[in-house]
Amino acid sequence: MKEVCKGLSKWCENYARRAKDLASRERDPEFKKNYEEIAEVMENIAHKRPASFREALQMTLCLHYGVVNEDPQSGQSIGRLGQVLQPFYEKDIEEGKITDEEVIELLELYRIKITCIECFASAGVSGGVLSGNTFNNLSLGGQSYDGRSAVTPLEYLILEAGMRAKTPQPTLSVLYDEKTPEDFLMKAAQCTKLGLGYPAWMNNQTGMNFMMRQYGPEGMNLEDARAWCLGGCLESAPGCFSPLEYNGKVTMIPGGASPTCGTGIHFTALPKILELVLTNGVDRRTGKRVFPAHNEKIETYDQMVALWQRYLDISNRIVNRVNNMQMDIWRKYNMPAVNSLLKADCFKKGQHIGNCGARYNACINFESCGTITYINSLASIKKNVFDDQKYTLEEMTDAMVHNFGFKTAYETNVFSPDFRESTPEAAKYAQIFADCVNAPKYGNADPYVDQLLRDYQMYLKDYLPTLKSYYGKPEYLCQISVSTHGPQGFVTLASADGRLAGTTYSDGSVSAAAGTDKNGIYAIFESATVYDHSQNQNAQMNLKLHPSAVKGLSGTRKLLDVVRAYMRKGGFHVQFNVVGSDTLRAAQKKPEAYRDLMVRVAGFTQYWCEIGKPIQDEVIYRTEYDEA
């Protein structure tokens, strides 16, 4: 650890030396002054505690780079930066050393630097999972150590910088709390209205409840639960408060207290496993056997679900073992020194985060994909096969294998229900296809299908802790799709909800499948909150609003009312695309004319032109609400 710290100091000295060299050769007085300031800041933080806002901001950036360089993965949390840096900002403002406009400019430049971080990974990971984003998440709000609103004056400026410097990163997350000041919430809503895809909104109380549930056995108390934040795009991460002595005061600031909360069993395609139950373990798309044949004649709905649970367990045991082996190698041969120095208790224990040096270590998850496609498929099979007995399960499976008589997404190159092209077999499957499309759908406050979601959630709550991480800790449910609902939908046959082969899955975990929510936003909220969101690491709700729905000051209040209504029902997360589908279609046809257009995909913001067509089609087809 000492050698790593020496290296970090030397690294900062190198920047200072380079800036001095540039200053010595620069003729433009303004540029010369900039280089001299950079040299002074880098030289100071190489050897001293930060003595100004700019130095503190620079140090956090250098340390963030240190973490992502020693462990080049996506999803590194910036944490609650506006609360960490508030004492430095406050002192500089009081002493007249800096103005708010100068702070905003530095924060805008910070956004550009974070956006430039790349993740070195395969094309499949970069495109199929990340869509080019590396999910550096900056959290705002929440509660302080003593239970008051944690919002700081600096966090208003972080929002302002995000409104001016329209870059995908860092993504912003508001930890909504009933104690959060109304004017801060309004400013955050104004930012959301710009159509940048951020900030996303998280339920602070639900997050705290999850922290106590998951990390209570490791000794988490209420004060530490208040320090949580978002890691990655939507992974709730535990924290703790530490005293910062500065400017004659002691300020309790929140920081991370665990290894990454974004690793584990990734990403499991729930609808594909159901498909393999119906095909006796053989992937009919490739002809390959994936699971051992169950060889059962499925006669009841409960029997079918039990087989799905059996196949899920087989998959999970294998993938969990692979992840544990991978992470065990990682902690032995790529020990995370910088990250460990920044995490509570590692230095005190003399152990890095790979050896449970952090305060909390039950942080490995199971990540699911296509939740609502799976739930809607269950509802269709339950209704059409087992309750109404319109079709046998064999007839349903045959229709799925033959794509209900339509061409696949591979053939049409359209990955949403926006377009269907019939084949000569269409007439044969017309009635069963209509019944599948018209079967009960999640997101309409329909108890028939919403109960299936609750049953699924309650099963995983009890099942997943039977899986143990390489730390020997129980695992839990993480519900994010990122971009995986595109490639996973691509390799899945038609599903019983009427989705065609190759078509992108539903996004998120509690978003309605595109075009199936017919009863308005508040009906989706009813469906989404049929279970306790605090039993899992997260839940993900994506909504699309037409800009006219939130126009003007009254529109801002409407948007905030929508957020508040969902939070008060216990929803964990909601995020918005404020853009018309007509704009997105135009951008798909002429991407060169929309290079600065950004959208929210599933937990992250990205430039429209950087997203693959399967995900673009899915975002376009999401239900567009013209009234908030």
Side-chain angles (χ1 to χ4, degrees), residues 580-611:
S581 296
D582 50 350
T583 300
L584 298 180
R585 288 192 176 94
Q588 197 175 51
K589 291 177 181 177
K590 284 190 169 183
E592 67 279 1
Y594 293 86
R595 286 296 304 168
D596 60 345
L597 177 63
M598 295 195 298
V599 297
R600 193 78 175 181
V601 181
F604 67 97
T605 294
Q606 184 53 293
Y607 291 113
W608 176 256
C609 300
E610 300 294 322
I611 301 168

Side-chain angles (χ1 to χ4, degrees), residues 349-495:
K349 293 180 182 177
Q351 295 288 347
H352 62 75
I353 59 175
N355 287 343
C356 293
R359 184 170 300 182
Y360 303 113
N361 298 283
C363 55
I364 308 302
N365 59 32
F366 162 83
E367 291 189 353
S368 58
C369 182
T371 302
I372 299 306
T373 297
Y374 167 66
I375 295 298
N376 285 345
S377 297
L378 288 182
S380 175
I381 294 172
K382 186 174 188 297
K383 177 73 172 172
N384 289 310
V385 175
F386 296 109
D387 290 356
D388 296 350
Q389 299 183 356
K390 286 187 174 182
Y391 311 99
T392 65
L393 195 57
E394 290 72 22
E395 288 172 330
M396 178 67 74
T397 304
D398 176 67
M400 291 164 56
V401 169
H402 289 88
N403 203 37
F404 297 106
F406 295 98
K407 289 187 176 180
T408 65
Y410 329 123
E411 297 169 291
T412 64
N413 199 39
V414 177
F415 299 91
S416 74
D418 209 12
F419 173 81
R420 300 187 186 102
E421 187 173 344
S422 300
T423 70
E425 290 188 309
K428 177 181 177 182
Y429 298 106
Q431 189 57 54
I432 191 171
F433 177 68
D435 287 336
C436 287
V437 169
N438 293 322
K441 295 290 189 288
Y442 162 88
N444 297 293
D446 183 344
Y448 185 93
V449 64
D450 294 348
Q451 182 62 41
L452 302 182
L453 174 64
R454 184 179 184 280
D455 293 343
Y456 158 80
Q457 295 284 348
M458 297 308 292
Y459 167 73
L460 288 188
K461 179 180 77 71
D462 295 328
Y463 158 68
L464 288 175
T466 69
L467 302 173
K468 296 296 189 290
S469 72
Y470 62 107
Y471 294 127
K473 302 293 184 181
E475 298 181 10
Y476 53 79
L477 179 59
C478 173
Q479 304 183 98
I480 56 174
S481 58
V482 197
S483 296
T484 59
H485 54 305
Q488 291 195 344
F490 189 83
V491 299
T492 304
L493 299 179
S495 44

Side-chain angles (χ1 to χ4, degrees), residues 145 224 227 240-245 250-256 342 344 359:
Y145 178 78
D224 277 6
C240 63
F241 287 94
S242 300
L244 171 66
E245 297 178 18
V250 176
T251 305
M252 298 299 287
I253 60 170
L342 300 174
R359 184 170 300 182

